[in-house]
C-alpha cells in the first residue's frame, strides 16, 4: 500500500527529520515538498544524503491551492504561520501539524500518541504536541491518571538542545559562539508551551493546573530534551514506577527506567524515557522525562500519529535504534 505524503517546511529541522523518517517508511511515499526560501531547489541540493528515489524532487513554493493529490500532509511551520493556510487544504487530505497553531483547537485532536492513541485513530486533523510537552506529559500522565500527585502545584525545570529553536528565524542566541559553553533560561512565565501543558494536566487529572510553573533552559547540544518535574504527593518511588509500567504496558515507545534518564538514550529515535524519585515524608515526587526534540518531540511523534490515522502499525518507519554515541 502506497500512501501519498507531502511535507510543508521541509528545509527546517522538523520538516527535514520528517523527510528522513518518511524516506524509509514502508507505506509512505513522499510526492510533494514545499518551502519558502528553499523553493525551486531539488531535495538533493538541500539534503545531499537523501535517497536516490527522492533526489530530484523539487521543493515547491507553499500554496494550498496547488497541492497535488495527497493522502496526508505534514506541516512543519513556525507557530502563527500555518492556521490560515491549512484551513484551505481540502478536507480529504489528512494533516499532522507539527507546529503550534492547532493545539487544543476545535476540530483538531491533540496528538499525544502514547497517552491517547484511541482518540487519534482515524482522525483527519492532528495537532502534534511540542517537544517540552512531549517529555513532560509522558512523564506526568501515569501519576496524574492514578492520582499520585496534586495537579495544582507542578514545577517543570526543562533543558533543550539548540535544534529545538528550529532552523529558520532564529536569532543570534542560537549561533555557535553564543550557545557554546553557555546555559540560559528563556520564555519565563509565558512560554508558548504553557497552555497545552496546563490543559493536558487538567484533562488527565480532572483538577486545576493553576499553579503550574515551567522554566526552559537552552543547553549547548544539538538534540535532546530533559525535564525534571517537582510535584506534591505521598507516593513512593516504586508506586510511581509501577504506575508508569502499568500505564505504558504494551506501548512501543515509552521506556520506564529505574535510574535517571539521559538525553543520549533517545537521540535519533522516537523513544521517550521516564523515571521517578519520591520521598513520601516530604510530600515530594520528582518525575523525569527524556525525548529527542526532533524525534518524539516533533517528527517522530508526527509519523506515529500519521500511522495511527492511516490504520498502520504505530511502529511503521520508527523502529530504528537510537544513535550512540
Amino acid at each position: 500500500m502506497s500512501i501519498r505524503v507531502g511535507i510543508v517546511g521541509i528545509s527546517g529541522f522538523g520538516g527535514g527529520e520528517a523527510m528522513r523518517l518518511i524516506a524509509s517508511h514502508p507505506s509512505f511515499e513522499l510526492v510533494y515538498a514545499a518551502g519558502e526560501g528553499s523553493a525551486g531547489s531539488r531535495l538533493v541540493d538541500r539534503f545531499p544524503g537523501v535517497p536516490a528515489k527522492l533526489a530530484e524532487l523539487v521543493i515547491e513554493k507553499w500554496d494550498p491551492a496547488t497541492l497535488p493529490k495527497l493522502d496526508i500532509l505534514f506541516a512543519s511551520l513556525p507557530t502563527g504561520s500555518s492556521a490560515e493556510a491549512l484551513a484551505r487544504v481540502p478536507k480529504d487530505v489528512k494533516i499532522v501539524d507539527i507546529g503550534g497553531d492547532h493545539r487544543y483547537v476545535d476540530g483538531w485532536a491533540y496528538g499525544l500518541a502514547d497517552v491517547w492513541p484511541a482518540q487519534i485513530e482515524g482522525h483527519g486533523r492532528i495537532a502534534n504536541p511540542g517537544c517540552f510537552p512531549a517529555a513532560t506529559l509522558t512523564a506526568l500522565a501515569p501519576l496524574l491518571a492514578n492520582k499520585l500527585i496534586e495537579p495544582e502545584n507542578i514545577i517543570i525545570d526543562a533543558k533543550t538542545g539548540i535544534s529545538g529553536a528550529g532552523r529558520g528565524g532564529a536569532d543570534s542566541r542560537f549561533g555557535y559562539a553564543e550557545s557554546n559553553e553557555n546555559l540560559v533560561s528563556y520564555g519565563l512565565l509565558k512560554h508558548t508551551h504553557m497552555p497545552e501543558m496546563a490543559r493536558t494536566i487538567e484533562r488527565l487529572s480532572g483538577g486545576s493546573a493553576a499553579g503550574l510553573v515551567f522554566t526552559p533552559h537552552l543547553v549547548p547540544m544539538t538534540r535532546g530534551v530533559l525535564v525534571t518535574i517537582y510535584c506534591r504527593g505521598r507516593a513512593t518511588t516504586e508506586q510511581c514506577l509501577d504506575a508508569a509500567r502499568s500505564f505504558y504496558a504494551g506501548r512501543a515507545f515509552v521506556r520506564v527506567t529505574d535510574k535517571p534518564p539521559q538525553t543520549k538514550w533517545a537521540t535519533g529515535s522516537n523513544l521517550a524515557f521516564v523515571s521517578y524519585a519520591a520521598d513520601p515524608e516530604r510530600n515530594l515526587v520528582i518525575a523525569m522525562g527524556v525525548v529527542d526534540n526532533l524525534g518524539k518531540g516533533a517528527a517522530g511523534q508526527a509519523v506515529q500519529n500519521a500511522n495511527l490515522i492511516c490504520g498502520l502499525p504505530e511502529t511503521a518507519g520508527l523502529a530504528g535504534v537510537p544513535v550512540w554515541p
Side-chain angles (χ1 to χ4, degrees):
M1 178 176 62
S2 180
I3 296 172
R4 293 171 61 86
V5 170
I7 301 174
V8 177
I10 196 165
S11 59
F13 289 145
E17 186 76 352
M19 182 275 295
R20 183 180 75 86
L21 296 172
I22 290 165
S24 59
H25 195 284
S27 299
F28 291 165
E29 178 188 4
L30 184 63
V31 299
Y32 173 77
E36 289 296 329
S38 58
S41 304
R42 301 172 303 164
L43 273 189
V44 71
D45 297 328
R46 303 293 296 188
F47 304 98
V50 72
K53 65 180 180 179
L54 297 176
E56 299 302 317
L57 184 64
V58 175
I59 301 173
E60 301 183 26
K61 187 172 179 60
W62 165 228
D63 183 354
T66 61
L67 283 179
K69 179 176 174 52
L70 295 176
D71 297 304
I72 187 163
L73 179 68
F74 293 88
S76 185
L77 299 169
T79 298
S81 301
S82 64
E84 186 276 331
L86 292 184
R88 294 187 282 123
V89 173
K91 296 298 184 185
D92 62 341
V93 179
K94 298 178 175 67
I95 302 174
V96 179
D97 186 3
I98 301 174
D101 284 10
H102 293 102
R103 294 164 188 159
Y104 282 98
V105 170
D106 287 346
W108 290 72
Y110 186 63
L112 194 59
D114 297 302
V115 175
W116 291 309
Q119 298 179 31
I120 297 165
E121 293 173 352
H123 207 289
R125 296 287 185 271
I126 305 297
N128 223 52
C131 55
F132 287 124
T136 298
L137 299 171
T138 304
L140 287 179
L143 307 184
L144 292 166
N146 287 280
K147 311 296 184 186
L148 296 179
I149 59 172
E150 303 168 9
E152 294 87 359
N153 294 293
I154 294 173
I155 299 173
I156 305 163
D157 183 332
K159 311 294 192 298
T160 182
I162 298 166
S163 63
R167 186 175 186 177
D171 63 31
S172 63
R173 289 180 301 157
F174 307 110
Y176 176 81
E178 293 198 28
S179 60
N180 185 49
E181 299 292 342
N182 196 20
L183 178 62
V184 60
S185 59
Y186 65 98
L188 301 180
L189 302 178
K190 296 181 179 180
H191 193 278
T192 185
H193 289 317
M194 280 281 288
E196 67 180 285
M197 287 194 287
R199 288 284 296 273
T200 306
I201 288 168
E202 291 173 349
R203 184 175 168 188
L204 284 162
S205 68
S208 169
L212 179 66
V213 177
F214 169 58
T215 304
H217 303 79
L218 189 71
V219 298
M221 62 185 185
T222 301
R223 290 179 180 239
V225 167
L226 184 150
V227 295
T228 306
I229 312 161
Y230 303 96
C231 316
R232 292 300 178 190
R234 297 290 184 183
T236 65
T237 298
E238 276 308 312
Q239 285 175 319
C240 295
L241 290 168
D242 287 347
R245 292 186 184 108
S246 176
F247 190 89
Y248 292 118
R251 307 298 298 147
F253 296 115
V254 181
R255 308 290 172 84
V256 182
T257 69
D258 293 333
K259 56 185 179 180
Q262 305 173 26
T263 57
K264 271 194 175 293
W265 293 358
T267 301
S269 79
N270 190 48
L271 295 175
F273 292 87
V274 300
S275 190
Y276 306 92
D279 186 344
E281 292 186 3
R282 296 171 60 192
N283 193 29
L284 175 64
V285 173
I286 300 174
M288 293 157 280
V290 158
V291 301
D292 181 329
N293 53 283
L294 296 180
K296 176 65 74 179
Q301 185 148 231
V303 171
Q304 184 180 355
N305 279 319
N307 287 338
L308 284 165
I309 64 179
C310 291
L312 301 172
E314 279 184 74
T315 54
L318 295 170
V321 175
V323 177
W324 182 271

